[in-house]
Amino acid sequence: AVVSTQSGHYGRVSSVVLSGHTSSVTVLKYDNTGTRLCSGSLDTNVIVWDVVSQSGLFRLKGHRGPINDCVFLQNSNVLITSSKDTYIKLWCLDSQHCFETLTNGRDEVWSIAVCRGETRLIAGSNTAELRVWSLAQGGELGKRKSGEKVVQCELLGALVRKSKERVNCLA
């Protein structure tokens, strides 16, 4: 992946090549500090990069289809990814494992968004529905027992849209 960044010095743009995927990159998202970058690819892998050192921190494997979207949670060290495999995965970045897999039925998940103070997750696909889950964050990460979920999820329902066109972006 070639990533362009703009520095504060005279608005100069620099490019960095991050090598790690075996196929085309389909999504790039920064965390809220701008120091980590998530890349998803047709190779079904997710890589979290350290932007400052320009190196890969770790690779997350578990999806069975190309990665379509990802979002970092600001209040916990969690990454949420979506894929053409119809799954949404929640990853604990401290332990680098998937602690929750949500299904979107038979529909691939094209876009995800987190809103309302990180208490709602919305998923869009190529149907007339947007699925909505509640997100409840547990106590401090350091006080968790092994295997305990970092974020609890519960499907609240679906919002019906007029269009049946594929959802390209939820913001």
Side-chain angles (χ1 to χ4, degrees):
V2 177
V3 178
S4 297
T5 59
Q6 189 169 1
S7 70
H9 302 297
Y10 307 108
R12 295 188 345 212
V13 175
S14 61
S15 294
V16 175
V17 176
L18 302 173
S19 299
H21 288 289
T22 59
S23 192
S24 299
V25 171
T26 53
V27 62
L28 289 169
K29 295 276 180 82
Y30 285 98
D31 70 356
N32 65 323
T33 65
T35 59
R36 292 183 301 179
L37 177 70
C38 172
S39 63
S41 170
L42 291 176
D43 65 12
T44 74
N45 292 321
V46 175
I47 300 177
V48 178
W49 305 89
D50 182 322
V51 176
V52 177
S53 68
Q54 300 176 7
S55 62
L57 295 172
F58 42 83
R59 179 183 310 268
L60 303 172
K61 295 182 178 183
H63 280 291
R64 290 183 257 157
I67 310 302
N68 289 333
D69 205 359
C70 61
V71 62
F72 286 94
L73 293 185
Q74 295 179 26
N75 296 330
S76 59
N77 204 19
V78 171
L79 177 71
I80 304 175
T81 58
S82 69
S83 170
K84 287 184 81 166
D85 65 6
T86 74
Y87 297 117
I88 298 168
K89 291 191 174 283
L90 286 82
W91 306 86
C92 174
L93 297 181
D94 290 326
S95 62
Q96 302 168 25
H97 81 281
C98 174
F99 65 88
E100 181 82 54
T101 300
L102 308 174
T103 183
N104 196 45
R106 294 183 302 237
D107 302 311
E108 51 198 62
V109 185
W110 285 100
S111 184
I112 53 177
V114 176
C115 59
R116 295 198 64 202
E118 297 188 347
T119 61
R120 298 289 184 266
L121 170 66
I122 303 172
S125 61
N126 56 351
T127 67
E129 292 184 343
L130 297 175
R131 290 201 178 199
V132 181
W133 285 266
S134 67
L135 299 177
Q137 302 195 24
E140 295 177 32
L141 290 174
K143 295 183 180 178
R144 263 184 234 305
K145 296 177 184 174
S146 178
E148 188 177 339
K149 293 181 180 179
V150 179
V151 176
Q152 302 288 329
C153 303
E154 181 182 347
L155 180 63
L156 296 176
L159 301 172
V160 179
R161 342 180 267 133
K162 289 183 180 180
S163 173
K164 290 186 180 181
E165 296 293 318
R166 179 177 95 184
V167 173
N168 290 318
C169 180
L170 290 171

